[in-house]
C-alpha cells in the first residue's frame, strides 16, 4: 500500500526548519502533500498563493522533488483534506516543549475526528530556534533572514523591500 502523509502549516514564510521536515517526511513516506492552511489565529504576512509558490521554488532549488506536492486548503478541517486524498498521517516538526503543548491537542482532535495519526519529527539542531514568526519580525524590521529561510524566500523578501 502507498503511504501518503500531509505536512500542514501556515508556512508564512517557509523556513529552513520546514524544509528539513518536508525532506525527511519525503524519505519516510511514499508520497507527501505539503498543505498551506490559512490560520485565522495568526495575522498573515504573505497571501496563501505566494506561500505555495515559495515552497515549490524552495523544494525545486533544494532538489526535493518527485514525491512532494504543494497545495492549499481553506475550506474546512485539515482532516477533511486528508480523507479526500487518502492520507492517514500528519507530519509536524517539534522544536521545543512549547511546540509539544501547542501540537498535542491538535493531534488528539485530529485522531478523534478522523483517525488521522500525527507523527512528530525532532528538528535538525541547526534549525531548532527558527520560526516563521521570528522571520516575519526580523524581515519587517529590515533585518537579514537569509540564515533562516531558503534562498527563494530571501530573494522574494529582498525584492519586496526594494519596491
Ligand atoms: O503553522 P501553523 O500555523 O502552526 O499550522 C497550524 C495548522 C494550520 C496546521 C492548524 O491550525 C490546522 O490544522 N488548521 C486547519 C483547521 C483544522 O483542521 N482545525 C482543527 C485541527 S486542531
Amino acid at each position: 500500500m502507498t503511504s501518503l502523509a500531509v505536512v500542514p502549516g501556515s508556512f508564512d514564510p517557509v523556513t529552513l526548519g520546514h524544509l528539513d521536515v518536508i525532506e525527511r517526511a519525503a524519505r519516510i513516506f511514499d508520497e507527501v502533500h505539503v498543505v498551506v492552511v490559512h490560520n485565522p489565529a495568526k495575522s498573515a504576512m504573505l497571501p496563501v498563493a505566494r506561500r505555495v509558490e515559495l515552497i515549490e521554488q524552495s523544494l525545486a532549488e533544494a532538489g526535493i522533488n518527485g514525491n512532494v506536492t504543494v497545495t492549499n486548503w481553506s475550506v474546512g478541517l485539515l482532516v477533511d483534506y486528508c480523507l479526500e486524498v487518502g492520507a492517514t498521517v500528519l507530519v509536524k516538526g517539534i522544536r521545543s516543549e512549547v511546540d509539544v503543548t501547542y501540537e498535542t491537542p491538535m493531534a488528539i482532535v485530529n485522531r478523534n475526528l478522523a483517525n488521522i495519526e500525527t507523527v512528530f519529527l525532532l528538528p535538525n539542531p541547526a534549525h531548532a530556534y527558527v520560526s516563521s514568526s521570528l522571520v516575519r519580525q526580523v524581515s519587517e524590521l529590515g533585518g537579514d533572514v537569509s540564515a533562516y529561510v531558503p534562498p527563494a524566500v530571501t530573494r522574494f523578501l529582498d525584492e519586496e523591500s526594494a519596491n
Side-chain angles (χ1 to χ4, degrees):
M1 200 175 82
T2 306
S3 60
L4 168 57
V6 164
V7 181
S10 300
F11 302 107
D12 185 33
V14 64
T15 66
L16 291 175
H18 291 133
L19 220 55
D20 174 51
V21 168
I22 296 166
E23 181 172 26
R24 286 155 61 204
R27 275 194 250 123
I28 298 169
F29 298 95
D30 295 323
E31 212 187 318
V32 168
H33 288 192
V34 178
V35 180
V36 178
V37 183
H38 170 65
N39 185 347
K42 297 180 177 173
S43 72
M45 177 175 78
L46 303 175
V48 166
R50 177 69 67 195
R51 293 182 231 166
V52 168
E53 232 170 66
L54 289 173
I55 298 168
E56 285 173 339
Q57 279 174 27
S58 302
L59 291 172
E61 288 175 10
I64 305 165
N65 45 34
N67 63 341
V68 183
T69 307
V70 189
T71 187
N72 73 85
W73 180 251
S74 53
V75 294
L77 292 169
L78 183 62
V79 293
D80 290 338
Y81 177 85
C82 294
L83 294 173
E84 196 171 293
V85 298
T88 53
V89 177
L90 292 167
V91 177
K92 299 279 191 89
I94 287 284
R95 293 159 300 187
S96 65
E97 282 173 28
V98 176
D99 282 350
V100 175
T101 305
Y102 174 68
E103 295 291 349
T104 300
M106 289 199 279
I108 292 170
V109 166
N110 286 327
R111 196 176 61 218
N112 288 344
L113 283 169
N115 208 24
I116 303 293
E117 294 287 356
T118 302
V119 169
F120 294 119
L121 296 183
L122 294 174
N124 175 331
H127 309 311
Y129 296 99
V130 177
S131 70
S132 294
S133 59
L134 182 103
V135 168
R136 287 198 298 277
Q137 201 176 101
V138 173
S139 171
E140 278 163 6
L141 296 172
D144 176 13
V145 293
S146 58
Y148 312 121
V149 295
V153 176
T154 302
R155 289 198 306 275
F156 172 78
L157 294 173
D158 286 350
E159 281 161 23
E160 285 288 288
S161 66
N163 291 329

